[in-house]
Amino acid sequence: RLTSHPPPTPNNHSPSLPTQLKKKGQAKGLVFEMVEKHPLQNRWALWFFKNDKSKTWQANLHLITKFDTVEDFWGLYHHIQPASKLTPGCDYSLFKDGIEPMWEDDQNKRGGRWLVTLAKQQRHTDLDHFWLETLLCLIGESFERFGGDICGAVLNVRAKGDKIAVWTCEADNRDGVTHIGRVYKERLGLTQKVTIGYQAHTDTASKSHNLTKNKFVV
């Protein structure tokens, strides 16, 4: 399981450099070290959306980068703006490579999302922690045998209140969806008094967000 503390850089088992190169580096007072990166089970893509009303929705969506190791994830995470510092109207999305962060994608269209809605004041107290835990749940494969059902996650920063959602590929897979919801709720540290709902994309697309009924609740 990945935690919110980056792992120490391994150095005990780093492969040795060619002797000639090593000697040259030592002569110049340099230290060479090859670090073996830790591969993730999946390759992931981070997307950024900035709401420019003069452009189409797809033109506002930008692929930032892709990564497939623990070290590259932490390098990226510490390089980009924290969620709490984004301008309202912006989104971050993390999806498995090959899946685009939109309902219409073939991997998403039969699925849905576990939705966490935050109050305005939670942007400065909970948002960054919740978003990081969401990312770690995904790349750390926290959902075990139902990890294949995971498509990605979306963060919406909005003036009225921020939202984080975990997207799955099959809304009718009750066992998988409810397992993912329970694990996700536990990882966020939400109490039993707090409930989160799962909405099918087909329902969300056909109704206003406020009227969408929850298909499942945990």
Side-chain angles (χ1 to χ4, degrees):
R1 162 179 165 177
L2 289 177
T3 67
S4 52
H5 302 288
T9 302
N11 51 28
N12 295 335
H13 306 291
S14 300
S16 59
L17 290 164
T19 304
Q20 187 178 5
L21 180 59
K22 198 170 184 178
K23 286 182 178 178
K24 284 183 179 179
Q26 289 171 345
K28 295 180 181 180
L30 302 174
V31 177
F32 293 98
E33 184 176 356
M34 293 181 67
V35 177
E36 184 179 354
K37 293 184 177 182
H38 296 74
L40 299 171
Q41 188 169 317
N42 286 288
R43 184 174 175 85
W44 298 88
L46 182 68
W47 302 76
F48 176 70
F49 177 89
K50 186 174 183 180
N51 190 19
D52 181 344
K53 294 182 179 178
S54 68
K55 299 179 181 179
T56 64
W57 187 89
Q58 286 190 310
N60 281 322
L61 184 64
H62 306 281
L63 173 63
I64 298 176
T65 191
K66 299 179 181 182
F67 61 89
D68 57 8
T69 71
V70 174
E71 289 77 10
D72 288 342
F73 164 74
W74 285 114
L76 170 64
Y77 181 79
H78 291 302
H79 183 71
I80 60 176
Q81 282 271 74
S84 60
K85 300 297 184 184
L86 292 181
T87 304
C90 292
D91 300 341
Y92 276 144
S93 299
L94 184 76
F95 276 73
K96 289 176 179 174
D97 188 21
I99 305 178
E100 294 191 346
M102 56 186 70
W103 296 335
E104 298 85 354
D105 189 282
D106 284 343
Q107 297 294 314
N108 296 325
K109 61 186 180 182
R110 294 181 304 277
R113 60 179 185 167
W114 280 109
L115 182 63
V116 177
T117 303
L118 289 79
K120 288 174 65 175
Q121 60 269 26
Q122 286 183 277
R123 180 174 302 165
H124 304 293
T125 57
D126 297 318
L127 182 62
D128 289 336
H129 166 66
F130 282 179
W131 178 236
L132 177 56
E133 281 301 321
T134 303
L135 299 177
L136 294 177
C137 280
L138 266 59
I139 69 170
E141 307 295 335
S142 297
F143 305 110
E144 300 163 332
R145 67 187 186 279
F146 295 112
D149 284 20
I150 295 292
C151 295
V154 179
L155 162 73
N156 307 125
V157 176
R158 301 293 183 266
K160 293 181 179 179
D162 307 319
K163 297 177 181 179
I164 300 175
V166 171
W167 288 29
T168 73
C169 65
E170 190 58 65
D172 290 330
N173 181 8
R174 176 185 291 272
D175 289 345
V177 169
T178 53
H179 174 83
I180 289 167
R182 284 193 292 266
V183 171
Y184 183 45
K185 181 179 176 179
E186 180 182 343
R187 282 293 296 270
L188 293 183
L190 301 178
T191 66
Q192 291 296 321
K193 294 180 180 179
V194 177
T195 60
I196 59 174
Y198 181 88
Q199 302 169 349
H201 292 320
T202 51
D203 292 339
T204 308
S206 62
K207 302 174 183 176
S208 71
H209 294 308
N210 294 332
L211 297 176
T212 305
K213 289 185 178 181
N214 291 323
K215 192 176 180 73
F216 306 107
V217 174
V218 295

